[in-house]
Short mmCIF file of all heavy atoms in Angstrom, two decimals:
data_model
loop_
_atom_site.label_atom_id
_atom_site.label_comp_id
_atom_site.label_asym_id
_atom_site.label_seq_id
_atom_site.Cartn_x
_atom_site.Cartn_y
_atom_site.Cartn_z
N THR O 1566 -156.66 -64.76 -51.79
CA THR O 1566 -156.39 -63.63 -50.87
C THR O 1566 -155.06 -63.93 -50.14
O THR O 1566 -154.07 -63.12 -50.11
CB THR O 1566 -157.49 -63.30 -49.95
OG1 THR O 1566 -158.67 -63.20 -50.71
CG2 THR O 1566 -157.21 -62.06 -49.12
N GLN O 1567 -155.07 -65.07 -49.40
CA GLN O 1567 -153.90 -65.37 -48.63
C GLN O 1567 -152.65 -65.64 -49.49
O GLN O 1567 -151.59 -65.33 -49.08
CB GLN O 1567 -154.23 -66.64 -47.76
CG GLN O 1567 -155.03 -66.20 -46.59
CD GLN O 1567 -156.17 -67.03 -46.22
OE1 GLN O 1567 -156.27 -68.20 -46.66
NE2 GLN O 1567 -157.10 -66.54 -45.44
N ALA O 1568 -152.83 -66.17 -50.65
CA ALA O 1568 -151.81 -66.42 -51.52
C ALA O 1568 -151.09 -65.16 -52.00
O ALA O 1568 -149.88 -65.01 -52.00
CB ALA O 1568 -152.14 -67.22 -52.69
N ILE O 1569 -151.93 -64.14 -52.39
CA ILE O 1569 -151.39 -62.93 -52.96
C ILE O 1569 -150.77 -62.16 -51.83
O ILE O 1569 -149.64 -61.48 -51.93
CB ILE O 1569 -152.47 -62.10 -53.71
CG1 ILE O 1569 -151.81 -61.04 -54.57
CG2 ILE O 1569 -153.33 -61.34 -52.75
CD1 ILE O 1569 -151.32 -61.59 -55.90
N VAL O 1570 -151.30 -62.15 -50.57
CA VAL O 1570 -150.74 -61.43 -49.49
C VAL O 1570 -149.37 -62.01 -49.12
O VAL O 1570 -148.32 -61.31 -49.00
CB VAL O 1570 -151.58 -61.53 -48.23
CG1 VAL O 1570 -150.84 -61.03 -46.98
CG2 VAL O 1570 -152.88 -60.57 -48.44
N GLY O 1571 -149.21 -63.29 -49.15
CA GLY O 1571 -147.90 -63.99 -48.94
C GLY O 1571 -146.99 -63.59 -49.97
O GLY O 1571 -145.78 -63.36 -49.67
N ALA O 1572 -147.38 -63.58 -51.27
CA ALA O 1572 -146.48 -63.30 -52.31
C ALA O 1572 -145.97 -61.84 -52.24
O ALA O 1572 -144.80 -61.54 -52.48
CB ALA O 1572 -147.16 -63.45 -53.68
N ILE O 1573 -146.91 -60.94 -51.82
CA ILE O 1573 -146.45 -59.46 -51.71
C ILE O 1573 -145.42 -59.42 -50.55
O ILE O 1573 -144.41 -58.70 -50.79
CB ILE O 1573 -147.64 -58.56 -51.50
CG1 ILE O 1573 -148.56 -58.54 -52.74
CG2 ILE O 1573 -147.24 -57.19 -51.15
CD1 ILE O 1573 -149.88 -57.82 -52.60
N VAL O 1574 -145.70 -60.07 -49.54
CA VAL O 1574 -144.75 -60.05 -48.39
C VAL O 1574 -143.40 -60.62 -48.87
O VAL O 1574 -142.34 -60.07 -48.56
CB VAL O 1574 -145.30 -60.75 -47.14
CG1 VAL O 1574 -144.24 -60.86 -46.08
CG2 VAL O 1574 -146.49 -60.03 -46.57
N GLY O 1575 -143.46 -61.61 -49.71
CA GLY O 1575 -142.24 -62.25 -50.30
C GLY O 1575 -141.57 -61.19 -51.05
O GLY O 1575 -140.30 -61.14 -51.06
N TRP O 1576 -142.24 -60.39 -51.85
CA TRP O 1576 -141.64 -59.36 -52.70
C TRP O 1576 -140.99 -58.26 -51.72
O TRP O 1576 -139.81 -57.79 -51.96
CB TRP O 1576 -142.59 -58.74 -53.60
CG TRP O 1576 -142.09 -57.68 -54.58
CD1 TRP O 1576 -141.48 -57.87 -55.69
CD2 TRP O 1576 -142.01 -56.26 -54.27
NE1 TRP O 1576 -141.00 -56.57 -56.20
CE2 TRP O 1576 -141.36 -55.65 -55.42
CE3 TRP O 1576 -142.46 -55.44 -53.18
CZ2 TRP O 1576 -141.13 -54.25 -55.45
CZ3 TRP O 1576 -142.25 -54.06 -53.32
CH2 TRP O 1576 -141.58 -53.54 -54.43
N ASN O 1577 -141.74 -57.88 -50.75
CA ASN O 1577 -141.14 -56.93 -49.74
C ASN O 1577 -139.84 -57.39 -49.15
O ASN O 1577 -138.89 -56.64 -49.03
CB ASN O 1577 -142.27 -56.75 -48.62
CG ASN O 1577 -143.42 -55.88 -49.03
OD1 ASN O 1577 -143.41 -55.21 -50.05
ND2 ASN O 1577 -144.44 -55.79 -48.27
N LEU O 1578 -139.87 -58.65 -48.75
CA LEU O 1578 -138.60 -59.21 -48.21
C LEU O 1578 -137.45 -59.18 -49.15
O LEU O 1578 -136.34 -58.76 -48.82
CB LEU O 1578 -138.89 -60.65 -47.67
CG LEU O 1578 -139.85 -60.87 -46.49
CD1 LEU O 1578 -140.12 -62.35 -46.16
CD2 LEU O 1578 -139.22 -60.21 -45.23
N TYR O 1579 -137.78 -59.55 -50.45
CA TYR O 1579 -136.70 -59.64 -51.44
C TYR O 1579 -136.24 -58.25 -51.79
O TYR O 1579 -134.99 -58.02 -51.90
CB TYR O 1579 -137.29 -60.32 -52.67
CG TYR O 1579 -136.19 -60.70 -53.68
CD1 TYR O 1579 -135.39 -61.83 -53.54
CD2 TYR O 1579 -135.90 -59.73 -54.66
CE1 TYR O 1579 -134.36 -62.07 -54.47
CE2 TYR O 1579 -134.92 -60.10 -55.72
CZ TYR O 1579 -134.18 -61.28 -55.49
OH TYR O 1579 -133.17 -61.53 -56.38
N SER O 1580 -137.13 -57.22 -51.96
CA SER O 1580 -136.71 -55.97 -52.36
C SER O 1580 -136.27 -55.11 -51.17
O SER O 1580 -135.78 -53.99 -51.35
CB SER O 1580 -137.94 -55.31 -53.01
OG SER O 1580 -138.89 -55.14 -52.11
N GLY O 1581 -136.32 -55.64 -49.97
CA GLY O 1581 -136.06 -54.89 -48.78
C GLY O 1581 -137.00 -53.74 -48.47
O GLY O 1581 -136.66 -52.88 -47.63
N SER O 1582 -138.14 -53.80 -49.08
CA SER O 1582 -139.17 -52.80 -48.73
C SER O 1582 -139.78 -53.20 -47.37
O SER O 1582 -140.05 -54.35 -47.13
CB SER O 1582 -140.32 -52.72 -49.79
OG SER O 1582 -139.71 -52.76 -51.04
N PRO O 1583 -140.11 -52.18 -46.55
CA PRO O 1583 -140.81 -52.55 -45.18
C PRO O 1583 -142.15 -53.00 -45.52
O PRO O 1583 -142.91 -52.46 -46.39
CB PRO O 1583 -140.77 -51.23 -44.55
CG PRO O 1583 -140.63 -50.13 -45.54
CD PRO O 1583 -139.92 -50.71 -46.72
N THR O 1584 -142.67 -53.98 -44.76
CA THR O 1584 -144.07 -54.31 -44.87
C THR O 1584 -144.95 -53.47 -43.91
O THR O 1584 -144.53 -53.42 -42.73
CB THR O 1584 -144.22 -55.87 -44.51
OG1 THR O 1584 -143.47 -56.58 -45.43
CG2 THR O 1584 -145.64 -56.29 -44.57
N ASP O 1585 -145.90 -52.75 -44.48
CA ASP O 1585 -146.68 -51.90 -43.63
C ASP O 1585 -147.45 -52.73 -42.60
O ASP O 1585 -148.42 -53.48 -43.00
CB ASP O 1585 -147.66 -51.12 -44.50
CG ASP O 1585 -148.48 -50.09 -43.73
OD1 ASP O 1585 -148.56 -50.30 -42.48
OD2 ASP O 1585 -149.04 -49.18 -44.39
N SER O 1586 -146.98 -52.70 -41.36
CA SER O 1586 -147.67 -53.57 -40.34
C SER O 1586 -149.10 -53.25 -40.11
O SER O 1586 -149.97 -54.12 -39.80
CB SER O 1586 -146.91 -53.52 -39.10
OG SER O 1586 -146.85 -52.21 -38.56
N THR O 1587 -149.54 -52.01 -40.38
CA THR O 1587 -150.90 -51.58 -40.07
C THR O 1587 -151.79 -52.24 -41.15
O THR O 1587 -152.84 -52.92 -40.90
CB THR O 1587 -151.08 -50.06 -40.14
OG1 THR O 1587 -150.00 -49.49 -39.66
CG2 THR O 1587 -152.32 -49.63 -39.51
N ALA O 1588 -151.30 -52.08 -42.50
CA ALA O 1588 -151.94 -52.74 -43.55
C ALA O 1588 -152.07 -54.22 -43.35
O ALA O 1588 -153.12 -54.86 -43.59
CB ALA O 1588 -151.38 -52.36 -44.87
N LEU O 1589 -150.94 -54.81 -42.96
CA LEU O 1589 -150.92 -56.26 -42.89
C LEU O 1589 -151.86 -56.73 -41.77
O LEU O 1589 -152.61 -57.64 -41.94
CB LEU O 1589 -149.49 -56.73 -42.54
CG LEU O 1589 -149.22 -58.28 -42.45
CD1 LEU O 1589 -149.47 -58.95 -43.83
CD2 LEU O 1589 -147.86 -58.53 -41.95
N SER O 1590 -151.84 -56.08 -40.68
CA SER O 1590 -152.73 -56.45 -39.52
C SER O 1590 -154.15 -56.24 -39.90
O SER O 1590 -155.06 -56.99 -39.54
CB SER O 1590 -152.38 -55.76 -38.27
OG SER O 1590 -152.56 -54.33 -38.37
N LYS O 1591 -154.46 -55.31 -40.76
CA LYS O 1591 -155.78 -55.02 -41.20
C LYS O 1591 -156.29 -56.13 -42.08
O LYS O 1591 -157.35 -56.68 -41.88
CB LYS O 1591 -155.86 -53.63 -41.96
CG LYS O 1591 -157.13 -52.91 -41.91
CD LYS O 1591 -157.04 -51.65 -42.67
CE LYS O 1591 -157.21 -50.43 -41.80
NZ LYS O 1591 -157.15 -49.23 -42.62
N ILE O 1592 -155.34 -56.62 -43.00
CA ILE O 1592 -155.76 -57.62 -43.86
C ILE O 1592 -155.89 -58.97 -43.09
O ILE O 1592 -156.79 -59.70 -43.25
CB ILE O 1592 -154.76 -57.77 -44.98
CG1 ILE O 1592 -154.85 -56.55 -45.96
CG2 ILE O 1592 -154.97 -59.03 -45.84
CD1 ILE O 1592 -153.95 -56.55 -47.06
N VAL O 1593 -154.84 -59.24 -42.25
CA VAL O 1593 -154.86 -60.54 -41.53
C VAL O 1593 -156.06 -60.59 -40.52
O VAL O 1593 -156.74 -61.64 -40.41
CB VAL O 1593 -153.57 -60.79 -40.85
CG1 VAL O 1593 -153.59 -61.97 -39.86
CG2 VAL O 1593 -152.49 -60.98 -41.82
N GLY O 1594 -156.32 -59.35 -40.01
CA GLY O 1594 -157.54 -59.19 -39.15
C GLY O 1594 -158.83 -59.63 -39.88
O GLY O 1594 -159.69 -60.36 -39.26
N THR O 1595 -158.91 -59.28 -41.06
CA THR O 1595 -160.14 -59.68 -41.83
C THR O 1595 -160.19 -61.12 -42.10
O THR O 1595 -161.29 -61.66 -42.36
CB THR O 1595 -160.35 -58.97 -43.26
OG1 THR O 1595 -159.16 -59.37 -44.03
CG2 THR O 1595 -160.16 -57.49 -43.05
N TRP O 1596 -159.04 -61.76 -42.14
CA TRP O 1596 -159.11 -63.27 -42.25
C TRP O 1596 -159.84 -63.90 -41.06
O TRP O 1596 -160.44 -64.90 -41.15
CB TRP O 1596 -157.72 -63.85 -42.37
CG TRP O 1596 -156.87 -63.36 -43.51
CD1 TRP O 1596 -157.42 -62.64 -44.49
CD2 TRP O 1596 -155.59 -63.74 -43.84
NE1 TRP O 1596 -156.45 -62.45 -45.50
CE2 TRP O 1596 -155.31 -63.11 -45.05
CE3 TRP O 1596 -154.55 -64.43 -43.22
CZ2 TRP O 1596 -154.08 -63.19 -45.75
CZ3 TRP O 1596 -153.30 -64.45 -43.81
CH2 TRP O 1596 -153.12 -63.85 -45.10
N VAL O 1597 -159.68 -63.24 -39.90
CA VAL O 1597 -160.34 -63.75 -38.67
C VAL O 1597 -161.81 -63.23 -38.70
O VAL O 1597 -162.80 -64.00 -38.53
CB VAL O 1597 -159.69 -63.22 -37.42
CG1 VAL O 1597 -160.37 -63.77 -36.15
CG2 VAL O 1597 -158.24 -63.57 -37.42
N TYR O 1598 -161.97 -61.98 -39.06
CA TYR O 1598 -163.43 -61.43 -38.96
C TYR O 1598 -164.26 -62.08 -40.11
O TYR O 1598 -165.42 -62.22 -39.95
CB TYR O 1598 -163.43 -59.91 -39.28
CG TYR O 1598 -162.58 -59.03 -38.47
CD1 TYR O 1598 -161.93 -57.88 -38.92
CD2 TYR O 1598 -162.46 -59.26 -37.08
CE1 TYR O 1598 -161.10 -57.06 -38.13
CE2 TYR O 1598 -161.62 -58.52 -36.26
CZ TYR O 1598 -160.95 -57.37 -36.81
OH TYR O 1598 -160.18 -56.62 -36.17
N GLY O 1599 -163.55 -62.18 -41.27
CA GLY O 1599 -164.48 -62.71 -42.44
C GLY O 1599 -165.25 -63.99 -42.08
O GLY O 1599 -166.47 -63.86 -42.20
N PRO O 1600 -164.55 -65.08 -41.65
CA PRO O 1600 -165.38 -66.17 -41.31
C PRO O 1600 -166.32 -65.95 -40.16
O PRO O 1600 -167.52 -66.47 -40.15
CB PRO O 1600 -164.36 -67.33 -40.85
CG PRO O 1600 -163.08 -66.80 -41.42
CD PRO O 1600 -163.20 -65.34 -41.61
N ILE O 1601 -165.90 -65.09 -39.10
CA ILE O 1601 -166.89 -64.91 -38.04
C ILE O 1601 -168.05 -64.13 -38.46
O ILE O 1601 -169.18 -64.42 -38.16
CB ILE O 1601 -166.03 -64.12 -36.90
CG1 ILE O 1601 -165.01 -65.08 -36.26
CG2 ILE O 1601 -167.05 -63.66 -35.85
CD1 ILE O 1601 -164.15 -64.43 -35.30
N LEU O 1602 -167.74 -63.12 -39.34
CA LEU O 1602 -168.87 -62.28 -39.85
C LEU O 1602 -169.79 -63.17 -40.68
O LEU O 1602 -171.08 -63.07 -40.60
CB LEU O 1602 -168.29 -61.20 -40.69
CG LEU O 1602 -169.21 -59.97 -40.90
CD1 LEU O 1602 -169.69 -59.28 -39.67
CD2 LEU O 1602 -168.49 -58.96 -41.87
N GLY O 1603 -169.18 -64.09 -41.50
CA GLY O 1603 -169.94 -64.96 -42.40
C GLY O 1603 -170.86 -65.82 -41.54
O GLY O 1603 -172.08 -66.03 -41.79
N ALA O 1604 -170.33 -66.35 -40.45
CA ALA O 1604 -171.05 -67.21 -39.50
C ALA O 1604 -172.18 -66.48 -38.87
O ALA O 1604 -173.38 -66.98 -38.90
CB ALA O 1604 -170.11 -67.71 -38.40
N ALA O 1605 -171.96 -65.16 -38.45
CA ALA O 1605 -173.04 -64.44 -37.82
C ALA O 1605 -174.14 -64.07 -38.85
O ALA O 1605 -175.28 -64.27 -38.41
CB ALA O 1605 -172.37 -63.13 -37.32
N ILE O 1606 -173.74 -63.71 -39.96
CA ILE O 1606 -174.81 -63.33 -40.98
C ILE O 1606 -175.60 -64.55 -41.33
O ILE O 1606 -176.83 -64.47 -41.39
CB ILE O 1606 -174.12 -62.71 -42.27
CG1 ILE O 1606 -173.53 -61.42 -41.98
CG2 ILE O 1606 -175.19 -62.52 -43.36
CD1 ILE O 1606 -172.65 -60.81 -43.03
N ALA O 1607 -174.86 -65.69 -41.62
CA ALA O 1607 -175.63 -66.91 -41.94
C ALA O 1607 -176.54 -67.42 -40.81
O ALA O 1607 -177.72 -67.86 -41.13
CB ALA O 1607 -174.62 -68.02 -42.33
N PHE O 1608 -176.09 -67.20 -39.58
CA PHE O 1608 -176.89 -67.58 -38.40
C PHE O 1608 -178.19 -66.85 -38.42
O PHE O 1608 -179.29 -67.40 -38.29
CB PHE O 1608 -176.01 -67.30 -37.16
CG PHE O 1608 -176.62 -67.82 -35.92
CD1 PHE O 1608 -176.37 -69.08 -35.38
CD2 PHE O 1608 -177.47 -67.03 -35.13
CE1 PHE O 1608 -176.91 -69.55 -34.26
CE2 PHE O 1608 -178.00 -67.47 -33.99
CZ PHE O 1608 -177.67 -68.80 -33.45
N VAL O 1609 -178.13 -65.48 -38.53
CA VAL O 1609 -179.27 -64.68 -38.56
C VAL O 1609 -180.21 -64.98 -39.73
O VAL O 1609 -181.43 -65.15 -39.62
CB VAL O 1609 -178.89 -63.20 -38.44
CG1 VAL O 1609 -180.10 -62.27 -38.51
CG2 VAL O 1609 -178.11 -62.90 -37.15
N LEU O 1610 -179.53 -65.02 -40.97
CA LEU O 1610 -180.26 -65.23 -42.14
C LEU O 1610 -181.10 -66.54 -42.15
O LEU O 1610 -182.16 -66.64 -42.66
CB LEU O 1610 -179.33 -65.24 -43.34
CG LEU O 1610 -179.78 -64.88 -44.73
CD1 LEU O 1610 -180.50 -63.55 -44.78
CD2 LEU O 1610 -178.73 -64.92 -45.80
N PHE O 1611 -180.46 -67.50 -41.56
CA PHE O 1611 -181.07 -68.90 -41.47
C PHE O 1611 -182.36 -68.74 -40.67
O PHE O 1611 -183.50 -69.23 -41.20
CB PHE O 1611 -180.14 -69.89 -40.71
CG PHE O 1611 -180.68 -71.23 -40.53
CD1 PHE O 1611 -180.65 -72.17 -41.46
CD2 PHE O 1611 -181.38 -71.54 -39.29
CE1 PHE O 1611 -181.13 -73.44 -41.46
CE2 PHE O 1611 -181.94 -72.82 -39.14
CZ PHE O 1611 -181.83 -73.69 -40.26
N PHE O 1612 -182.41 -68.00 -39.55
CA PHE O 1612 -183.55 -67.93 -38.77
C PHE O 1612 -184.66 -67.18 -39.52
O PHE O 1612 -185.83 -67.50 -39.46
CB PHE O 1612 -183.25 -67.38 -37.36
CG PHE O 1612 -182.71 -68.34 -36.44
CD1 PHE O 1612 -181.42 -68.21 -36.09
CD2 PHE O 1612 -183.44 -69.42 -35.95
CE1 PHE O 1612 -180.90 -69.20 -35.25
CE2 PHE O 1612 -183.01 -70.35 -35.08
CZ PHE O 1612 -181.63 -70.22 -34.78
N VAL O 1613 -184.23 -66.05 -40.20
CA VAL O 1613 -185.16 -65.23 -40.94
C VAL O 1613 -185.88 -66.05 -42.06
O VAL O 1613 -187.09 -66.11 -42.08
CB VAL O 1613 -184.43 -64.06 -41.66
CG1 VAL O 1613 -185.36 -63.25 -42.55
CG2 VAL O 1613 -183.90 -63.10 -40.51
N VAL O 1614 -184.97 -66.79 -42.77
CA VAL O 1614 -185.51 -67.59 -43.90
C VAL O 1614 -186.57 -68.77 -43.32
O VAL O 1614 -187.57 -68.88 -43.86
CB VAL O 1614 -184.44 -68.20 -44.72
CG1 VAL O 1614 -185.01 -69.21 -45.75
CG2 VAL O 1614 -183.71 -67.17 -45.42
N ARG O 1615 -186.07 -69.28 -42.32
CA ARG O 1615 -186.99 -70.42 -41.72
C ARG O 1615 -188.28 -69.83 -41.17
O ARG O 1615 -189.38 -70.44 -41.42
CB ARG O 1615 -186.22 -71.10 -40.56
CG ARG O 1615 -186.92 -72.33 -40.21
CD ARG O 1615 -186.05 -73.29 -39.35
NE ARG O 1615 -186.05 -72.81 -37.96
CZ ARG O 1615 -185.38 -73.36 -36.95
NH1 ARG O 1615 -184.88 -74.53 -37.26
NH2 ARG O 1615 -185.37 -72.86 -35.88
N THR O 1616 -188.23 -68.72 -40.50
CA THR O 1616 -189.53 -68.08 -40.04
C THR O 1616 -190.41 -67.72 -41.17
O THR O 1616 -191.57 -68.01 -41.18
CB THR O 1616 -189.12 -66.82 -39.22
OG1 THR O 1616 -188.15 -67.14 -38.28
CG2 THR O 1616 -190.35 -66.27 -38.46
N VAL O 1617 -189.85 -67.10 -42.19
CA VAL O 1617 -190.63 -66.72 -43.38
C VAL O 1617 -191.26 -68.00 -44.05
O VAL O 1617 -192.45 -68.03 -44.30
CB VAL O 1617 -189.73 -66.01 -44.41
CG1 VAL O 1617 -190.58 -65.72 -45.69
CG2 VAL O 1617 -189.33 -64.60 -43.84
N LEU O 1618 -190.48 -68.96 -44.24
CA LEU O 1618 -191.04 -70.22 -44.90
C LEU O 1618 -192.11 -70.92 -44.06
O LEU O 1618 -193.02 -71.45 -44.66
CB LEU O 1618 -189.92 -71.16 -45.18
CG LEU O 1618 -188.94 -70.85 -46.26
CD1 LEU O 1618 -187.89 -71.93 -46.49
CD2 LEU O 1618 -189.70 -70.71 -47.56
N ARG O 1619 -191.94 -70.77 -42.74
CA ARG O 1619 -192.98 -71.43 -41.88
C ARG O 1619 -194.27 -70.54 -41.97
O ARG O 1619 -195.46 -71.11 -41.91
CB ARG O 1619 -192.55 -71.44 -40.46
CG ARG O 1619 -191.56 -72.60 -40.34
CD ARG O 1619 -191.36 -72.89 -38.88
NE ARG O 1619 -190.51 -74.15 -38.77
CZ ARG O 1619 -190.32 -74.74 -37.66
NH1 ARG O 1619 -190.76 -74.39 -36.56
NH2 ARG O 1619 -189.60 -75.81 -37.60
N ARG O 1620 -194.16 -69.26 -42.11
CA ARG O 1620 -195.30 -68.43 -42.14
C ARG O 1620 -196.13 -68.63 -43.52
O ARG O 1620 -197.29 -68.72 -43.59
CB ARG O 1620 -194.93 -66.93 -42.04
CG ARG O 1620 -194.48 -66.63 -40.67
CD ARG O 1620 -195.61 -65.93 -39.97
NE ARG O 1620 -195.31 -65.90 -38.40
CZ ARG O 1620 -194.65 -64.91 -37.88
NH1 ARG O 1620 -194.23 -63.91 -38.55
NH2 ARG O 1620 -194.42 -64.99 -36.61
N VAL O 1621 -195.32 -68.66 -44.68
CA VAL O 1621 -196.01 -68.62 -45.90
C VAL O 1621 -196.45 -69.93 -46.40
O VAL O 1621 -197.39 -70.00 -47.26
CB VAL O 1621 -195.07 -67.90 -46.99
CG1 VAL O 1621 -194.87 -66.48 -46.69
CG2 VAL O 1621 -193.82 -68.72 -47.16
N LYS O 1622 -196.04 -71.05 -45.85
CA LYS O 1622 -196.47 -72.40 -46.28
C LYS O 1622 -196.51 -72.63 -47.79
O LYS O 1622 -197.58 -72.88 -48.36
CB LYS O 1622 -197.85 -72.66 -45.65
CG LYS O 1622 -197.87 -72.64 -44.15
CD LYS O 1622 -199.25 -72.82 -43.64
CE LYS O 1622 -199.33 -72.58 -42.19
NZ LYS O 1622 -200.66 -72.56 -41.64
#
Side-chain angles (χ1 to χ4, degrees):
Chain O
T1566 307
Q1567 280 136 15
I1569 199 80
V1570 166
I1573 291 174
V1574 171
W1576 183 86
N1577 284 348
L1578 291 174
Y1579 190 83
S1580 63
S1582 316
T1584 300
D1585 183 343
S1586 59
T1587 326
L1589 184 65
S1590 62
K1591 211 178 242 181
I1592 293 177
V1593 174
T1595 63
W1596 295 356
V1597 183
Y1598 309 143
I1601 293 176
L1602 199 59
I1606 295 171
F1608 188 87
V1609 174
L1610 203 57
F1611 177 85
F1612 282 109
V1613 172
V1614 172
R1615 193 167 73 177
T1616 312
V1617 170
L1618 285 180
R1619 284 195 173 187
R1620 289 262 163 88
V1621 293
K1622 296 176 189 170

